[in-house]
């Protein structure tokens, strides 16, 4: 697997999310605009032998006056039913000039999904929620626990280059 420092980075400018960021060229990116919350989903490189490594999804909740801590707590309520769910800790950090609330969790999923060969897999997740211009943004990084630390620089690169106010995705 290519280390994040060795990646060629591309730029996405974000449609319904109204944001821009850089991401590794070997990650697949797709805009999801047909649900209640527009999103941009990035999927890390996969292969037949490694069907899941990591994903990063950015959501925009068009909830004027919404509170990041309430969005985070709602997400944790939905996650608490997952197998072997454990909250590792909460924190705050700066994301694109805004204060984000965050939580790190671990849980088990059967991966790959919808496969007869699915196996219980430990997944680690970092979820960050922030408010910008009246909208609430949620950023979710999840990876197999064994790849989490190695791919964390990809999330950090996306967060370092994230900016708001852009219109079209490219």
């Amino acid at each position: 697997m290519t280390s994040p420092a060795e990646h060629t980075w591309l730029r996405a400018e974000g449609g319904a999310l109204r944001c821009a960021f850089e991401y590794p060229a070997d990650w697949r990116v797709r805009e999801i605009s047909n649900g209640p919350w527009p999103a941009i989903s990035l999927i890390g490189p996969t292969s037949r032998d490694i069907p899941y490594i990591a994903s990063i999804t950015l959501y925009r909740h068009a909830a004027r006056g919404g509170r990041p801590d309430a969005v985070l707590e709602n997400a944790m309520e939905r996650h608490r039913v997952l197998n072997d769910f454990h909250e590792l800790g909460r924190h705050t950090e700066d994301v694109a000039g805004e204060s984000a609330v965050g939580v790190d969790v671990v849980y088990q999923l059967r991966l790959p999904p919808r496969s007869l060969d699915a196996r219980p897999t430990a997944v680690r997740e970092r979820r960050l929620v922030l408010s910008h211009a009246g909208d609430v943004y949620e950023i979710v990084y999840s990876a197999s626990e064994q790849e989490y630390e190695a791919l964390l620089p990809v999330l950090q690169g996306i967060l370092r280059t994230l900016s708001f106010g852009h219109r079209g995705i490219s």
Side-chain angles (χ1 to χ4, degrees):
M1 176 175 37
T2 307
S3 78
E6 297 169 353
H7 284 287
T8 298
W9 290 73
L10 302 175
R11 184 160 182 83
E13 296 194 10
L17 263 69
R18 299 192 296 258
C19 68
F21 57 89
E22 293 180 5
Y23 67 95
D26 60 347
W27 284 54
R28 293 185 323 249
V29 63
R30 120 185 127 115
E31 186 171 15
I32 305 163
S33 57
N34 59 349
W37 305 301
I40 296 175
S41 178
L42 297 107
I43 305 295
T46 60
S47 69
R48 173 177 261 175
D49 298 328
I50 305 172
Y52 173 80
I53 291 181
S55 66
I56 300 172
T57 306
L58 291 81
Y59 300 93
R60 181 176 61 85
H61 302 272
R64 297 282 173 204
R67 293 185 3 248
D69 58 330
V71 170
L72 186 65
E73 191 52 44
N74 187 13
M76 289 303 93
E77 283 301 316
R78 291 188 317 269
H79 274 58
R80 285 189 179 100
V81 299
L82 296 172
N83 289 334
D84 293 331
F85 173 87
H86 297 287
E87 191 173 306
L88 300 175
R90 295 188 182 219
H91 60 280
T92 59
E93 64 184 86
D94 181 74
V95 176
E98 305 286 355
S99 180
V101 293
V103 64
D104 292 335
V105 299
V106 294
Y107 50 87
Q108 291 235 349
L109 290 178
R110 293 190 60 78
L111 296 173
R114 297 177 298 281
S115 170
L116 295 175
D117 297 325
R119 296 185 187 150
T121 303
V123 174
R124 188 165 168 191
E125 179 178 288
R126 173 167 291 176
R127 186 174 296 262
L128 301 164
V129 185
L130 62 111
S131 180
H132 177 78
D135 290 333
V136 174
Y137 288 83
E138 185 174 13
I139 303 159
V140 181
Y141 164 56
S142 64
S144 63
E145 194 161 31
Q146 72 184 54
E147 298 292 343
Y148 182 91
E149 290 296 333
L151 293 171
L152 190 57
V154 172
L155 173 67
Q156 293 164 337
I158 289 170
L159 296 177
R160 187 175 47 257
T161 61
L162 180 64
S163 62
F164 295 103
H166 304 270
R167 291 283 174 204
I169 188 143
S170 58

